[in-house]
Amino acid sequence: MRVVVPFAAEQPKTRLDGFLTPSERRAFARAMLLDVLAAIRETGNDPELLTTAPVDIDAPTTVNERPLTAAVNAIVETTSPIAVVMADLPLATPAALAGLFAAEGEVVLAPGRGGGTNAFVARHPGFRVDYHGTSYCDHRERAHRIGASVETVDSFRLGTDIDERADLAEVLVHGDGRARAWLDRAGVRLSHEGGRVGVTRTEHDENG
Amino acid sequence: MRVVVPFAAEQPKTRLDGFLTPSERRAFARAMLLDVLAAIRETGNDPELLTTAPVDIDAPTTVNERPLTAAVNAIVETTSPIAVVMADLPLATPAALAGLFAAEGEVVLAPGRGGGTNAFVARHPGFRVDYHGTSYCDHRERAHRIGASVETVDSFRLGTDIDERADLAEVLVHGDGRARAWLDRAGVRLSHEGGRVGVTRTEHDENG
């Protein structure tokens, strides 16, 4: 099965602006991407990259400057079955991904927090994505409309996309790959203020 | 196996203060608790309640006014195996809970966001809880220290504890029980501002 990983090469992780510099955001996004690609490879699949600009990553790459939804649909329209896995899932394990790929259903969705769709498998030619808004609900609705059976996989690790400062705590608590190592080097540490744990920067290694 | 559900009967869900009134927070917390108890019953287990004050709920109940950690440890110290499932997990399905209860490991942890521990099974008499801080890390460490094998269950549904306003969106997107119905009646709706989906109140049915 084709497994495609979309990646915003030029302006990744804009919601981490203010906590990480633009070049840091690019480096951290790349570390997360490498974690995702490695986890997919461990499932026995060969991931492909779908990027907004050329990147120096060892994987088959399609460059498409269009927005995420249009770029993914350009592939989904012509390929079935297909899996699409977001690049900001550094906690994704081979086991969690294998569960997604093996789940029955013409459309299999891995929800993210806030109504997102962090990964999916489509085995129906009529499926299309729309990442705007509450995409998980929209994708369920789309699947029902085209008569495709829908499954949802229940995974904390696939559900944890890293977009905001608070999300970095998840990487520090549960991660053990490149993204975790990058945060460690950058001096990002857990901080305990208020309810849930957050992060702060206690030091800054310029080589990080 | 004993399955215990701790419940803050008097001042539940304080982090929803400002969005829900104190009496609304009590009603919503009760709806979530009933969802959790129903899901546990569907796994074939009889849940027990551990509350800070007497409540009118049809389940065997222990009242303990002490803080959560002390109250849970008072039971954990004398019971093995034991499962403890938080009361603010309205998305918990029988399947997710059955996965937790069936997982091997002398200590089985279901992590929540922000380093929390939303549910666990302990099959080792030396295990104790500490819900303060990054409890997931502390519980792993405790298990290692006493020589207990540790497993982690990977569940978005068990990982989604409802504490803050943004969390309510998860109930609206994924829930179909009493907590979801309560939010619907209270006029809580999804709102799309910024990155992830949030919630707003568009109406307010005083009978809700």
Side-chain angles (χ1 to χ4, degrees), chain B:
Chain B
M1 182 165 62
R2 286 182 70 181
V3 181
V4 174
V5 181
F7 183 62
E10 288 164 318
Q11 295 272 332
K13 302 290 111 191
T14 52
R15 280 190 272 162
L16 289 172
D17 186 23
F19 189 70
L20 301 179
T21 68
S23 75
E24 287 175 332
R25 298 203 311 266
R26 278 193 294 274
F28 178 60
R30 181 186 169 91
M32 293 200 290
L33 170 64
L34 291 172
D35 282 343
V36 170
L37 295 175
I40 292 169
R41 288 194 183 103
E42 281 194 58
T43 68
N45 288 279
D46 289 319
E48 300 171 38
L49 211 51
L50 170 62
T51 77
T52 53
V55 287
D56 179 26
I57 298 270
D58 182 23
T61 299
T62 302
V63 176
N64 189 331
E65 293 174 4
R66 295 163 74 193
L68 179 65
T69 292
V72 169
N73 278 334
I75 293 178
V76 168
E77 281 168 16
T78 58
T79 311
S80 178
I82 177 109
V84 175
V85 180
M86 292 296 134
D88 59 355
L89 307 176
L91 303 186
T93 53
L97 288 163
L100 167 73
F101 299 154
E104 290 182 21
E106 290 171 298
V107 173
V108 183
L109 302 172
R113 279 172 292 165
T117 305
N118 286 355
F120 70 87
V121 174
R123 301 186 178 93
H124 189 295
F127 186 69
R128 298 291 180 274
V129 299
D130 181 354
Y131 284 107
H132 192 259
T134 318
S135 71
Y136 175 75
C137 300
D138 296 339
H139 291 154
R140 287 187 71 91
E141 199 181 302
R142 171 89 193 190
H144 290 309
R145 207 162 59 235
I146 62 174
S149 62
V150 186
E151 271 303 320
T152 297
V153 295
D154 177 23
S155 171
F156 179 85
R157 287 183 165 272
L158 297 182
T160 305
D161 47 321
I162 306 301
D163 288 314
E164 301 173 358
R165 176 174 170 171
D167 302 336
L168 300 177
E170 306 300 337
V171 184
L172 293 177
V173 171
H174 297 285
D176 60 2
R178 286 179 177 84
R180 164 63 189 272
W182 191 92
L183 292 176
D184 285 343
R185 281 199 308 274
V188 178
R189 303 282 179 266
L190 292 174
S191 75
H192 300 84
E193 294 158 20
R196 292 186 180 125
V197 73
V199 295
T200 188
R201 281 182 95 161
T202 56
E203 60 186 281
H204 186 195
D205 176 353
E206 290 293 338
N207 302 317

Side-chain angles (χ1 to χ4, degrees), chain A residues 83-85 95-103 108-110 119-121 123 153 158:
Chain A
V84 176
V85 179
L97 288 163
L100 167 73
F101 299 153
V108 183
L109 303 172
F120 70 87
V121 174
R123 300 186 178 92
V153 296
L158 296 182

Side-chain angles (χ1 to χ4, degrees), chain A residues 105-151:
Chain A
E106 289 171 299
V107 173
V108 183
L109 303 172
R113 279 173 291 164
T117 305
N118 285 355
F120 70 87
V121 174
R123 300 186 178 92
H124 189 295
F127 187 69
R128 299 291 180 272
V129 299
D130 180 354
Y131 285 108
H132 192 260
T134 317
S135 71
Y136 175 74
C137 300
D138 296 339
H139 291 153
R140 286 188 70 92
E141 199 181 303
R142 171 88 194 188
H144 289 308
R145 206 163 59 235
I146 61 174
S149 62
V150 186
E151 272 301 321

